[in-house]
Amino acid sequence: MSVASTKRKIYKATMLSLSNICMAITVALVFFLIIYIFVKSIPYFSWELLSTSPSYLKGTIGVLPDIMNTIYIIFMALVLVLPMGVGTAIYLNEYSNRPKVEKAIEYCIETLAGIPSIIYGLVGMLVFCQFMGLQTSLLAGALTLMIMNLPTIIRTTQESLKTVPQSYREGAFGLGAAKWRVIRTVVLPCCIDGIVTGCILSVGRMMGESAALLFTAGFAHNLNGFFDAMHSAGATLTVALYVYAKEQGRFDVAFVIAAILMLMSLVINITATVLARRIQNKKGE
Amino acid sequence: MSENNANAAAEGNIFTVSKFNLWYGDHHALHNINMDIKEHTITALIGPSGCGKSTFIRNLNRMNDLIPSTKLEGSILYNNEELVNSDIDVSKLRKEVGMVFQKPNPFPMSIYDNIAYGPRTHGVRNRAKLDNLVTESLKSAAIYEEVKDRMSSSALGLSGGQQQRLCIARALAVQPRVLLMDEPTSALDPISTGKIEELAMQLKEKYTIVIVTHNMQQALRISDYTAFFLLGDLVEFGPTEKIFTKPEDKRTEDYITGRFG
């Protein structure tokens, strides 16, 4: 009896310390990464770097075009992916009553989610840039990002559609509302938080995407307005990071970009939390 | 056919159910149901769980359309219009035949928007008219006094009993002729139940009510007619008093005296 309990105690203590060690390593890694990037980048942060375009004449470098390209491409990709993804989720969850077709579509979506991003880039280049004649452009990049992020939007929307109680739908149908009205006025408003979550996940992914954009959106550093940018080539921050570090050996600029990207993802996470809380509060009123 | 219709109308029947059968897939859930429901009466549907009473009531406003693989046979005439397998305007039917569900299901919106949902669905946009409908419906459902100062706060903040009366008000706001109630008090406490029963008896003046209930006392207290369902059969149907005092069928007697169920 006492032998067994001693064994148990040792076992418990070992497991506890093992999991503590894992936790400590994880935390240390995160902090190391963050601190390392900031220590490496802070000396090179300057207003000029953040607010100008690169100039060959003056021999200066600026990352403003890359920041703007990142924002443009994310915006465009979201505008494209939201209706597609939400529409698909609505079809699957609310309209389709053919389980086999649903299974097939869901299987395709799963597969889509598992394809490495460089393959999206390759196909995007051949289809959007060449076959559809968009050339290497932010629009081609946004279209590629749209396809990449469809699974995320579809899945998160579907999950939140499933959480809408059937009784809400019955209540609305019982009052004589037609299907689309039920979806638009009762079901979708309940899903906003899920859809917002999906968007934020997608924005994070788009911001970090480089492989697919290397092929489709290109490397240019020109500062353009939104519509001009859409049909001209442009590097996003991640692509610019690669170019500066690998091809020009400018690790100072690369680390500044890394720091900007980290700050952006921090902002996105905070926005997500605040939004989620606000939506929750509104519901609980 | 037209002769039948004329007869049905003459007798003041709002629903005439004849030889009605229903299958869920291979499961034969309702067998050969025949029943006439008169206007301005309360008809109670009683019977043990799974006997088909909820299934039946959901055919009176075609809510069973929502369940795939349902197969129907026979006839249900509403106001001389065929409901079974016909292509009537379901939206219009449900406007006239409202429904209150087992669990209170207010939408996650304000009290006002909940009540206005139905009228807005059917095209009422005029603010004054909407205000009027909302107020009148809340008054008819005996909940106006409790919510008049918080019309713009969420309906989910109300108690269960209040939510159910709100759902009744929501159903009344589209000015139906019939109110179907599917065990409206099974999730409520005795006081709220009492209020809903009282309300049902008042509403009988203007509406026809069909109510599914597990509670035989409730059926006895409020209904004019009672239908006893068992395993998908309509065992007995008649004036409530007669069903409870002189049932013709042995099974009805066993059930109402509590020998099973």
Side-chain angles (χ1 to χ4, degrees):
Chain A
M1 186 69 187
S2 70
V3 177
S5 69
T6 319
K7 253 174 128 180
R8 262 184 81 109
K9 268 183 196 161
I10 295 172
Y11 178 74
K12 261 178 80 177
T14 319
M15 287 328 248
L16 185 67
S17 44
L18 269 180
S19 72
N20 277 344
I21 291 169
C22 293
M23 185 269 294
I25 293 175
T26 311
V27 172
L29 273 175
V30 172
F31 273 93
F32 168 74
L33 252 169
I34 294 174
I35 292 168
Y36 184 73
I37 288 170
F38 278 106
V39 167
K40 281 282 206 177
S41 63
I42 282 174
Y44 306 108
F45 259 103
S46 71
W47 179 242
E48 203 200 335
L49 183 63
L50 293 178
S51 64
T52 59
S53 307
S55 159
Y56 287 111
L57 293 176
K58 287 187 276 178
T60 55
I61 289 180
V63 295
L64 182 64
D66 310 321
I67 295 176
M68 292 319 290
N69 284 339
T70 308
I71 294 170
Y72 292 158
I73 207 166
I74 288 176
F75 174 78
M76 193 63 212
L78 270 187
V79 167
L80 292 169
V81 76
L82 260 183
M84 286 271 284
V86 174
T88 309
I90 289 176
Y91 172 77
L92 288 175
N93 218 56
E94 307 291 323
Y95 282 94
S96 164
N97 49 14
R98 285 177 296 179
K100 273 189 186 155
V101 178
E102 277 165 59
K103 272 267 149 33
I105 297 177
E106 272 162 20
Y107 191 76
C108 291
I109 296 166
E110 296 282 310
T111 311
L112 204 60
I115 296 174
S117 63
I118 194 134
I119 296 175
Y120 285 100
L122 186 65
V123 174
M125 178 179 74
L126 292 173
V127 174
F128 297 129
C129 304
Q130 292 179 9
F131 179 71
M132 286 172 61
L134 295 174
Q135 309 296 345
T136 306
S137 64
L138 284 189
L139 184 58
L143 284 164
T144 312
L145 287 183
M146 170 194 86
I147 297 172
M148 283 180 67
N149 285 284
L150 267 178
T152 316
I153 300 286
I154 293 173
R155 199 149 345 121
T156 48
T157 309
Q158 247 188 317
E159 287 310 312
S160 56
L161 283 172
K162 281 178 191 155
T163 64
V164 178
Q166 193 59 25
S167 65
Y168 289 175
R169 296 186 182 86
E170 286 189 337
F173 282 124
L175 290 166
K179 186 138 196 163
W180 175 241
R181 181 169 163 82
V182 176
I183 293 170
R184 185 170 58 81
T185 55
V186 177
V187 178
L188 277 184
C190 294
C191 293
I192 290 293
D193 47 352
I195 295 170
V196 169
T197 311
C199 284
I200 286 161
L201 283 172
S202 291
V203 169
R205 251 189 103 189
M206 290 171 187
M207 212 172 62
E209 185 50 50
S210 49
L213 297 178
L214 283 172
F215 283 102
T216 51
F219 305 92
H221 299 297
N222 296 327
L223 188 59
N224 286 319
F226 179 76
F227 292 102
D228 286 335
M230 275 303 126
H231 55 79
S232 44
T236 61
L237 282 166
T238 44
V239 172
L241 187 150
Y242 170 81
V243 171
Y244 282 122
K246 204 71 190 166
E247 290 176 2
Q248 304 184 13
R250 291 295 301 266
F251 281 91
D252 52 336
V253 183
F255 270 104
V256 170
I257 293 175
I260 295 172
L261 281 168
M262 279 203 340
L263 286 173
M264 279 171 99
S265 70
L266 184 72
V267 169
I268 289 169
N269 280 341
I270 293 172
T271 322
T273 323
V274 171
L275 269 179
R277 201 172 298 157
R278 191 168 294 173
I279 291 164
Q280 278 305 318
N281 287 346
K282 217 172 154 190
K283 276 192 181 165
E285 256 174 11
Chain B
M1 188 69 195
S2 64
E3 202 180 336
N4 273 348
N5 289 353
N7 286 343
E11 288 161 25
N13 290 340
I14 192 154
F15 286 106
T16 308
V17 183
S18 42
K19 293 180 188 151
F20 180 69
N21 284 278
L22 181 146
W23 288 263
Y24 285 135
D26 294 330
H27 174 59
H28 194 176
L30 290 172
H31 319 138
N32 199 26
I33 309 292
N34 295 287
M35 187 194 292
D36 292 335
I37 295 170
K38 291 194 164 45
E39 236 184 322
H40 301 298
T41 60
I42 300 184
T43 304
L45 312 181
I46 62 168
S49 301
C51 67
K53 53 197 189 307
S54 288
T55 303
F56 175 73
I57 201 175
R58 284 165 162 264
N59 285 293
L60 302 181
N61 68 344
R62 292 270 296 252
M63 282 302 271
N64 267 342
D65 288 12
L66 302 181
I67 303 167
S69 82
T70 321
K71 209 182 95 203
L72 310 175
E73 244 174 42
S75 153
I76 298 178
L77 292 179
Y78 161 71
N79 206 21
N80 297 326
E81 269 186 282
E82 180 60 57
L83 300 188
V84 175
N85 300 327
S86 62
D87 53 357
I88 49 146
D89 182 351
V90 177
S91 177
K92 212 174 130 236
L93 171 70
R94 291 181 187 153
K95 181 181 180 299
E96 290 187 24
V97 184
M99 191 159 203
V100 177
F101 298 83
Q102 184 168 358
K103 262 181 66 192
N105 59 347
F107 303 132
M109 313 168 179
S110 73
I111 292 171
Y112 184 96
D113 287 338
N114 260 282
I115 309 297
Y117 189 88
R120 280 177 179 149
T121 298
H122 297 286
V124 180
R125 287 279 172 275
N126 182 301
R127 183 77 199 192
K129 203 173 167 200
L130 272 179
D131 285 349
N132 189 34
L133 271 171
V134 169
T135 314
E136 286 309 311
S137 311
L138 287 168
K139 277 181 182 159
S140 306
I143 190 178
Y144 181 70
E145 290 302 318
E146 290 158 71
V147 299
K148 64 179 176 191
D149 301 322
R150 49 199 282 210
M151 297 288 250
S152 58
S153 52
S154 169
L156 301 184
L158 299 173
S159 75
Q162 289 173 325
Q163 287 189 2
Q164 194 62 302
R165 276 179 286 145
L166 183 87
C167 291
I168 294 175
R170 186 176 68 185
L172 297 181
V174 291
Q175 299 169 309
R177 289 177 67 189
V178 183
L179 208 52
L180 307 176
M181 301 174 127
D182 188 357
E183 294 183 44
T185 60
S186 66
L188 304 181
D189 63 89
I191 293 174
S192 306
T193 303
K195 282 185 183 162
I196 304 260
E197 287 181 5
E198 209 176 296
L199 180 57
M201 284 187 281
Q202 286 167 16
L203 293 176
K204 188 173 83 169
E205 304 288 316
K206 282 172 74 181
Y207 309 92
T208 306
I209 296 177
V210 183
I211 182 169
V212 170
T213 177
H214 264 300
N215 182 334
M216 278 174 288
Q217 262 57 48
Q218 184 169 67
L220 185 57
R221 276 196 298 268
I222 67 173
S223 71
D224 305 300
Y225 292 88
T226 297
F228 172 56
F229 282 78
L230 187 65
L231 300 170
D233 285 310
L234 175 58
V235 175
E236 198 167 343
F237 174 60
T240 299
E241 229 184 79
K242 182 170 169 295
I243 297 273
F244 278 87
T245 52
K246 297 193 279 290
E248 278 169 15
D249 197 294
K250 182 80 174 63
R251 289 169 294 174
T252 315
E253 190 181 340
D254 286 350
Y255 183 71
I256 59 171
T257 52
R259 234 164 272 170
F260 70 94

